[in-house]
Amino acid sequence: MARARERRPVAPHLTIWKWGPHMAVSIINRVTGGALATVGIAVLAWWLISIAGGQERYAAFAGHAGAWYGQVVLIGLSWAYAFHFLAGLRHFVMDAGAGFELNTNKTWAWAVIAGSFVLTALVWLVLYWKAI
Amino acid sequence: MGAGTQLGRVRGLGSAKSGSHHWWQLRVTSAASLILDFWLIFSLLRLPDYSFATISGWITSPLVAVPLALLILNWCWHLRLGLLEPIEDYVHGGNRILTLGLLYLWTFGVGGLALFALLKAAFMGGAG
């Protein structure tokens, strides 16, 4: 079956179509979902395990989370979350059958991309402001 | 099963009858995430600091532990349905069986660990 599939022609969908923001949002939505479903839930579980493990375990977790590499991972995850959240909202609208006009669709796809950075920046501004 | 084309072999069989259920459950868990995740984000942002004393005290409240448990269950259900999509799209044959097995192991493994850790932290209240 796998061999039969290889011999059959496949539409060159990724190489032939002109790229638009809606294609990027669709793909990034899957990638961010995949990141949250693996790294994201693992960090959540690790955080809970460290709380259950007591003061020293928690301090070890906080040490990694506060280090530069931990901050890179956490900021990356929060961006992935913001993106997946906004793209999900866009899907709710499209599920209702709205927002498929070309320009509307493009505009909201760009809004998802821009909004994901704005939300991430907002959350980390609050966190860093509190840490001062 | 004949040896014809993939399309020929499935033509006339109708749908698998579970697609809309999968789609609907993904939406239901998304909507539940809106409530549960936002509760967690704002609950965390409102804490004065993230010291062990604050966090281990915060997590003992039933108003924190119960939504957090629901959040873990909801996330695990959503991530299982979500990761199923690329696997069904891109992994074929024996590898698909293996990947699906790993997906179940991951979903229940990480979910079980997170839930147990949450309950332990909630019941012990920082005494661990």
Side-chain angles (χ1 to χ4, degrees):
Chain A
M1 182 178 145
R3 201 159 294 146
R5 183 180 290 269
E6 276 164 18
R7 276 191 272 106
R8 297 180 65 77
V10 176
H13 54 292
L14 285 180
T15 50
I16 211 165
W17 283 340
K18 187 183 166 210
W19 269 80
H22 50 296
M23 290 163 74
V25 167
S26 174
I27 291 170
I28 301 171
N29 193 35
R30 271 204 168 174
V31 173
T32 51
L36 292 166
T38 51
V39 185
I41 188 98
V43 170
L44 178 72
W46 182 23
W47 178 63
L48 290 167
I49 291 167
S50 78
I51 301 169
Q55 189 131 29
E56 277 174 37
R57 290 282 196 85
Y58 185 80
F61 174 85
H64 287 301
W68 68 268
Y69 53 88
Q71 295 283 289
V72 169
V73 171
L74 289 179
I75 291 173
L77 281 175
S78 54
W79 171 76
Y81 184 87
F83 192 98
H84 204 71
F85 157 66
L86 290 173
L89 284 186
R90 179 167 168 269
H91 267 285
F92 275 140
V93 176
M94 295 197 300
D95 289 343
F100 282 102
E101 298 80 5
L102 281 183
N103 280 327
T104 315
N105 198 275
K106 262 189 188 171
T107 306
W108 285 106
W110 278 119
V112 167
I113 296 171
S116 67
F117 290 103
V118 173
L119 282 184
T120 309
L122 271 178
V123 164
W124 285 93
L125 274 177
V126 172
L127 287 174
Y128 282 130
W129 177 69
K130 284 177 70 164
I132 295 171
Chain B
M1 285 288 169
T5 62
Q6 291 172 330
L7 178 64
R9 281 191 286 124
V10 298
R11 189 170 271 160
L13 295 177
S15 80
K17 302 283 190 295
S18 60
S20 53
H21 185 59
H22 177 115
W23 182 91
W24 178 246
Q25 290 203 327
L26 211 50
R27 265 61 183 179
V28 169
T29 48
S30 297
S33 251
L34 279 184
I35 303 165
L36 294 167
D37 297 7
F38 270 48
W39 159 78
L40 178 64
I41 290 166
F42 283 103
S43 186
L44 282 175
L45 285 178
R46 284 181 54 195
L47 287 176
D49 57 71
Y50 303 104
S51 65
F52 179 71
T54 308
I55 292 288
S56 59
W58 168 78
I59 214 163
T60 55
S61 163
L63 289 178
V64 170
V66 172
L68 206 45
L70 294 177
L71 181 146
I72 293 167
L73 291 171
N74 184 59
W75 258 53
C76 284
W77 199 239
H78 187 87
L79 81 82
R80 194 193 74 83
L81 292 170
L83 285 182
L84 210 50
E85 289 187 10
I87 292 173
E88 287 176 342
D89 282 355
Y90 303 119
V91 187
H92 305 290
N95 280 344
R96 179 182 290 187
I97 311 274
L98 184 71
T99 321
L100 289 177
L102 287 175
L103 175 60
Y104 271 89
L105 198 66
W106 174 247
T107 306
F108 287 96
V110 79
L113 265 178
L115 265 183
F116 176 75
L118 162 67
L119 293 176
K120 183 167 182 259
F123 290 137
M124 307 229 328

